Amino acid sequence: MYFDENEPQAVREERFAAERDARRARRKAAKLDSRDAHLGAAIVVVALALLGWFGQWVALAVVSGGFLLWFAAALAWMYTDGDRGRHAIRRAYNVSFGWAGGL
């Protein structure tokens, strides 16, 4: 989005809306690859299982609560971004657990 100060406000808002719609359409048409997110979720599950196994209940609650809040925030962001249903959940899952691709 570029900004032209001499452009009328109505024209600018219409152009911005068209650009947002085009980005949303491209994003919805893109294939979501969840391979890295699955790895990240598996790492989190193993870490939570180890915390539970060793009786670290406070740490277990803090870590699981942190990931739950992270996923809820990502899901709220996806809904705000205009995604609905399964696509929003998959995008939030990828945002929450996709960090494992960098390992």
Side-chain angles (χ1 to χ4, degrees), residues 9-29:
Q9 183 68 27
V11 172
R12 183 179 311 130
E13 289 175 359
E14 184 178 317
R15 183 172 50 83
F16 284 171
E19 289 175 3
R20 278 192 307 269
D21 290 340
R23 278 196 316 270
R24 184 173 292 129
R26 281 194 311 269
R27 188 175 52 242
K28 286 188 178 188

Side-chain angles (χ1 to χ4, degrees), residues 41-95:
I43 292 170
V44 169
V45 166
V46 167
L48 293 176
L50 288 173
L51 287 173
W53 181 269
F54 291 115
Q56 301 294 324
W57 304 115
V58 174
L60 176 67
V62 169
V63 172
S64 61
F67 275 101
L68 179 65
L69 286 175
W70 187 3
F71 180 77
L75 187 59
W77 177 26
M78 297 311 139
Y79 270 92
T80 303
D81 205 23
D83 284 339
R84 298 291 184 264
R86 185 176 295 161
H87 194 263
I89 293 171
R90 288 188 65 192
R91 281 189 63 208
Y93 178 73
N94 284 345
V95 167

Side-chain angles (χ1 to χ4, degrees), residues 25-44:
R26 281 194 311 269
R27 188 175 52 242
K28 286 188 178 188
K31 178 126 173 78
L32 291 175
D33 183 21
S34 298
R35 196 171 313 139
D36 294 335
H38 293 325
L39 178 61
I43 292 170
V44 169

